[in-house]
Amino acid sequence: MLARFFIDRPVLAWVISLVIVLLGSITAALLPIAEYPEISPPTVRVTASYPGANARVVADTVAAPIEQQVNGVEHMLYMSSQSGNDGSYTLDATFVLGTDVNMAQVLVQNRVAIAEPVLPDVVRAIGVTTKKRSPDILLAINLYSDDNPETGRSYYDALYLSNYATIQLKDALARLEGVGDVSILGAQDYSMRVWLDPDKLQSRNLTDPTLVAILEESKNRVRSMALLHERLYHSGSLARINMTDYPSAATRWAGSTSPLKIHTFTPIAPNVVCASASP
């Protein structure tokens, strides 16, 4: 009956069809369109680092104060944390589906700011970061090095590849649209380890905090001063210390075997430190 009504009145049928198409075209541009619905709840990650501390120390001095403050934040479902023996700390706060992730980040950041005054000085100096992230992995990239046919070993080791990814790839990927965070699994960084001789420290009236303060101060030196220190070294007023060979080689004064008293450290190359010293 209804079909016969529009068959007998074709003009009316055309008008109704055009109105439906016109209204659909107008509202199509205003409707939110998503390829996939949001099925994973929003997550905010808090990261911190305590160099030299094991997992137990990190859990007691870093994790406990932060989690006491973050616990109970608005619209949070649950939180999970991980403390590593390398001094790393990670806290993931998961919120109710549909929560504005930007507002959730602000709420977590405010709670973390309350806990920062009671954190160790080293942790606060390095910084506690709060980022919004998705628990889903978008892309995984694997770096590898070809083998040298002469030696049968890779041209570049894992340390070099990790450092290359940190310098060349991590920031470039993080700037891409839609990328929230980039993590390097099993990251390795260049570092310097200094072995201290207690007897020599006592003979020179030096303490561990004094040397730590000197090393911390040297990290803030301008790198352009390296050339000046190199010239001073050749003039005989500086001693060069190779920290890699330090356990098996004594500190030497411009090539001599006489003991010296170190005043300041300044890095001039990987594993090489220039030290102002006097006999």
Side-chain angles (χ1 to χ4, degrees):
M1 186 66 180
L2 185 61
R4 174 59 60 180
F5 176 81
F6 286 104
I7 292 175
D8 295 338
R9 299 169 178 82
V11 177
L12 178 62
W14 275 101
V15 172
I16 294 177
S17 300
L18 291 176
V19 171
I20 294 175
V21 172
L22 182 62
L23 293 177
S25 301
I26 295 175
T27 57
L30 303 177
L31 293 176
I33 299 175
E35 185 176 1
Y36 300 106
E38 295 184 0
I39 58 176
S40 58
T43 305
V44 177
R45 168 165 289 188
V46 180
T47 58
S49 179
Y50 193 174
N54 56 23
R56 173 58 63 184
V57 175
V58 173
D60 295 338
T61 60
V62 180
I66 293 179
E67 293 174 8
Q68 288 176 0
Q69 298 298 331
V70 176
N71 185 32
V73 69
E74 290 82 353
H75 306 298
M76 186 181 70
L77 289 175
Y78 58 89
M79 61 181 181
S80 60
S81 63
Q82 182 177 1
S83 302
N85 281 325
D86 58 349
S88 61
Y89 170 72
T90 302
L91 171 66
D92 290 331
T94 305
F95 290 81
V96 178
L97 186 64
T99 303
D100 186 3
V101 66
N102 295 317
M103 182 57 65
Q105 180 183 2
V106 173
L107 294 175
V108 175
Q109 178 65 45
N110 293 339
R111 297 296 186 93
V112 172
I114 299 175
E116 283 188 359
V118 299
L119 298 178
D121 295 337
V122 178
V123 178
R124 287 187 289 132
I126 296 176
V128 181
T129 60
T130 303
K131 294 182 179 180
K132 56 183 179 181
R133 65 184 301 272
S134 173
D136 303 326
I137 298 178
L138 178 64
L139 177 67
I141 301 175
N142 182 29
L143 297 182
Y144 68 94
S145 175
D146 294 332
D147 294 336
N148 188 347
E150 297 180 356
T151 61
R153 299 180 179 179
S154 301
Y155 285 103
Y156 304 105
D157 57 3
L159 179 59
Y160 181 90
L161 294 176
S162 176
N163 185 64
Y164 179 84
T166 302
I167 297 175
Q168 302 293 340
L169 300 180
K170 184 176 181 180
D171 294 338
L173 293 175
R175 289 192 295 266
L176 296 178
E177 184 179 359
V179 177
D181 192 15
V182 178
S183 301
I184 301 179
L185 303 180
Q188 301 179 9
D189 297 322
Y190 289 103
S191 62
M192 180 182 68
R193 177 172 295 180
V194 180
W195 286 265
L196 303 178
D197 190 336
D199 297 332
K200 293 183 179 180
L201 287 177
Q202 184 178 5
S203 64
R204 293 172 173 82
N205 295 325
L206 295 176
T207 59
D208 294 348
T210 303
L211 293 179
V212 171
I214 293 173
L215 292 173
E216 290 292 338
E217 180 184 358
S218 67
K219 293 193 302 184
N220 300 325
R221 301 292 181 86
V222 182
R223 293 185 179 272
S224 61
M225 295 295 291
L227 180 60
L228 175 60
H229 286 279
E230 183 71 16
R231 293 178 179 177
L232 290 175
Y233 167 73
H234 288 296
S235 67
S237 59
L238 289 178
R240 174 176 292 180
I241 304 172
N242 191 325
M243 291 302 175
T244 304
D245 300 332
Y246 186 80
S248 59
T251 303
R252 301 181 183 277
W253 171 258
S256 65
T257 57
S258 59
L260 53 85
K261 184 176 181 181
I262 299 173
H263 294 300
T264 57
F265 283 93
T266 302
I268 63 172
N271 293 329
V272 178
V273 175
C274 272
S276 301
S278 60

